[in-house]
Amino acid sequence: MSTGSHAGRPKSWVAVAIIFVGFVVGGVGLVMGPDWIVFGVGAAVAALGGIVALAVDIMTDVIVDDPRA
């Protein structure tokens, strides 16, 4: 059994929160008519979150467990 944590680092969760906010803003923009400006802002925020995720090296949070028998 692995003793590592799958919780991730706080700065990785900040990046995920930024991406989530971008998706929410974009979704609100789609159901408001659609309002393409709001959707574009949401897409830009999600893209910014992706850049932040790469900057904080979010992929190093992944823990590979030993194969189960």
Side-chain angles (χ1 to χ4, degrees), residues 25-67:
V25 170
V28 168
L30 282 178
V31 298
M32 286 178 22
D35 187 344
W36 294 112
I37 304 250
V38 175
F39 175 78
V41 168
V45 170
L48 175 68
I51 292 168
V52 170
L54 290 174
V56 300
D57 202 18
I58 196 170
M59 296 308 280
T60 59
D61 287 351
V62 175
I63 297 173
V64 179
D65 291 334
D66 294 329

